[in-house]
Amino acid sequence: MLAAVTPPEVEVTLHHDTIKEVPYDKHWDLVGITGMGNGIVRGWQIADEFRRRGVPVVLGGVAASLSDPELSLPHVDSIVIGEAEELWPQVVNDAAAGRLKTMYRAECRPPIESLPCPRYDLMRRGDHGFFCPVQATRGCPFHCSFCSVTSFFEGTYRKAPVEHVIRDVRAAKRRGFRYITFIDDNIGMDFDYAAQLWEALIPENITWVSQCSIQIADHEELLDLAHRSGCRLLSVGIESDNEATLEALNKKWNRPSRYTEAIARVREHGIDFSTEMIVGADGDDDRFAEKAFRFIMDHRIALPRVHILTPVPGTPMWDAMVEEGRIVSADYKLFSGSEVIYEPRDLDADALSRGFWQLSDQLFTWKSIRRRMSALPNGFGTLMRAFILGANLQYRWHVRQRISPGMV
């Protein structure tokens, strides 16, 4: 998207550090870096190397925007705070004129209805797998205390015009993509909008995945429409089946008593759940690993993601834990979802760490993977099954390397 709003006379190259080595030795006039979560640490390392070679560096993204700028400024020439589409042309022009500012701060949110089509021509299909990212909405209307999305977008939820989403899908198809990842944080929250979008997607003949809240299970007509439009997998924030824990996360509108019914209903419509869960939050006891394992296996969650609670700077949870004196480390390298950076209320920190890795080991044995994948809906498709298996094998490798599964 930033490439799409770059002044047309400027040549742009996109590079993904997790795919290929960084081309430090080429000539660059300006380097822009972004990353998720504790990926900001890797961003600092890359920035240090470019600056050592005399190349100016700009840093942006959620982590850079929510964290203390003083953490990043020793590594970069400039920081962009907030959504960058309207700021980026100014940043590029200032850099070309030799007057790059130390900080740029978005004073308002770019109108999502006027954003251009992303530069999919800069993405090589072989480098990025067979899924192409498209965005229909930004933000989420819920206010979970741990969530950086809510903090970054300040609780707003904005929707691109349906015709613009179709424009972007068709642009992705022209690049050879038929599988789409809607990178929205909660694509199905506005039910009227979702119905219009999914109706419009039916003729496009794509397969798509995205993130959504569990409330979608209450709307069978939407589930039917989602499946007809190509939806096969929704990542849902279950977080916990413990009501006390959900209350501590300000997510008590999730109702554990209905999880089983919700999962079954979604699968009845040919769509599978990929669950996100948090362990170690207030309300969890020393049986958290056993409970989470049982929940995931009993419900045959084909693609589970479980992480240790990680209070993120800029969120209400971080502020509360700082005030309570419960943060034990502010080292961003540890903000990985597999480290204990706070004092748990009802658990020993060492026991939480051991239990997390024990749970991860159990979830990604060959036996567990086969059992969990046995509940994939009929007609799921060979390529999607291969994708789910491949993701499980990657998570299995992550766990064996003691890397937080699903975060790399």
Side-chain angles (χ1 to χ4, degrees):
M1 181 58 75
L2 291 189
V5 299
T6 300
E9 67 275 11
V10 177
E11 182 181 352
V12 179
T13 297
L14 299 187
H15 183 85
H16 295 257
D17 178 48
T18 55
I19 298 173
K20 292 185 176 180
E21 294 293 323
V22 179
Y24 292 111
D25 292 329
K26 289 188 177 182
H27 171 76
W28 306 105
D29 298 304
L30 180 68
V31 169
I33 297 175
T34 190
M36 294 176 62
N38 75 332
I40 193 174
V41 176
R42 175 61 179 154
W44 294 338
Q45 296 169 352
I46 295 171
D48 288 342
E49 184 60 28
F50 274 117
R51 294 181 82 211
R52 189 179 69 81
R53 297 162 186 254
V55 183
V57 176
V58 180
L59 179 70
V62 175
S65 296
L66 295 182
S67 62
D68 184 349
E70 296 302 319
L71 295 173
S72 296
L73 284 175
H75 304 280
V76 301
D77 297 274
S78 180
I79 299 177
V80 175
I81 306 295
E83 296 176 70
E85 283 87 355
E86 292 190 329
L87 288 173
W88 183 243
Q90 179 187 350
V91 173
V92 173
N93 289 330
D94 285 355
R99 57 171 186 264
L100 194 63
K101 299 176 184 177
T102 302
M103 187 177 300
Y104 295 82
R105 185 181 298 273
E107 300 300 331
C108 60
R109 303 194 177 282
I112 194 170
E113 66 276 5
S114 64
L115 294 178
C117 183
R119 288 284 306 275
Y120 293 127
D121 59 294
L122 298 178
M123 294 178 60
R124 291 180 52 186
R125 186 168 180 262
D127 288 345
H128 299 86
F130 54 87
F131 277 94
C132 184
V134 174
Q135 188 172 51
T137 66
R138 288 190 180 183
C140 178
F142 295 119
H143 292 81
C144 306
S145 62
F146 60 89
C147 186
S148 59
V149 170
T150 294
S151 295
F152 182 74
F153 292 107
E154 297 179 321
T156 61
Y157 185 65
R158 294 135 65 210
K159 297 151 289 191
V162 169
E163 60 269 24
H164 285 200
V165 182
I166 300 302
R167 172 201 67 188
D168 295 351
V169 167
R170 290 175 178 172
K173 288 168 62 177
R174 286 194 294 272
R175 299 298 300 173
F177 293 97
R178 288 296 183 275
Y179 286 77
I180 301 295
T181 299
F182 283 106
I183 57 171
D184 305 42
D185 295 294
N186 198 340
I187 194 171
M189 195 59 251
D190 184 317
F191 302 129
D192 291 337
Y193 175 80
Q196 294 173 33
L197 174 60
W198 297 344
E199 185 78 44
L201 285 173
I202 292 174
E204 300 303 321
N205 193 28
I206 61 170
T207 297
W208 61 271
V209 303
S210 192
Q211 299 182 105
C212 191
S213 60
I214 199 169
Q215 281 89 344
I216 191 70
D218 295 330
H219 299 268
E220 293 205 55
E221 70 286 355
L222 273 181
L223 289 173
D224 178 64
L225 201 55
H227 183 265
R228 289 169 54 205
S229 71
C231 180
R232 294 298 179 268
L233 184 69
L234 290 173
S235 178
V236 176
I238 293 291
E239 316 313 349
S240 176
D241 62 350
N242 182 335
E243 291 187 357
T245 300
L246 290 171
E247 185 169 358
L249 299 174
N250 197 31
K251 198 165 186 172
K252 56 186 177 181
W253 42 265
N254 259 14
R255 292 173 287 175
S257 62
R258 298 194 61 191
Y259 283 174
T260 299
E261 176 189 355
I263 293 170
R265 184 176 294 131
V266 172
R267 283 179 173 154
E268 287 171 1
H269 287 80
I271 302 170
D272 200 42
F273 260 10
S274 169
T275 57
E276 308 277 354
M277 297 184 72
I278 291 173
V279 295
D282 295 350
D284 274 354
D285 58 28
D286 56 8
R287 296 176 58 234
F288 75 91
E290 172 192 342
K291 292 176 180 177
F293 181 75
R294 186 172 65 245
F295 176 87
I296 290 168
M297 299 306 296
D298 285 351
H299 290 88
R300 302 292 200 274
I301 304 299
L303 192 57
R305 280 180 290 273
V306 183
H307 298 106
I308 294 175
L309 177 69
T310 304
V312 176
T315 63
M317 176 168 285
W318 172 268
D319 294 341
M321 286 201 175
V322 168
E323 185 175 342
E324 295 168 6
R326 295 175 63 187
I327 300 297
V328 298
S329 176
D331 183 351
Y332 253 94
K333 292 193 296 293
L334 303 180
F335 285 51
S336 63
S338 60
E339 301 283 351
V340 185
I341 64 165
Y342 66 101
E343 292 181 1
R345 177 159 290 162
D346 306 303
L347 281 164
D348 175 75
D350 290 338
L352 173 56
S353 181
R354 288 193 304 271
F356 168 77
W357 287 116
Q358 177 186 356
L359 169 62
S360 300
D361 286 332
Q362 290 177 316
L363 285 175
F364 294 101
T365 65
W366 284 106
K367 180 179 179 181
S368 292
I369 292 173
R370 285 194 299 268
R371 184 180 178 194
R372 289 189 285 97
M373 289 189 62
S374 67
L376 286 173
N378 293 329
F380 204 62
T382 301
L383 196 54
M384 280 299 298
R385 288 177 182 274
F387 167 70
I388 297 294
L389 176 60
N392 271 281
L393 296 181
Q394 184 180 40
Y395 294 176
R396 173 183 164 89
W397 182 84
H398 287 168
V399 171
R400 298 179 96 179
Q401 303 298 314
R402 288 307 188 245
I403 298 171
S404 185
M407 294 295 283
V408 177

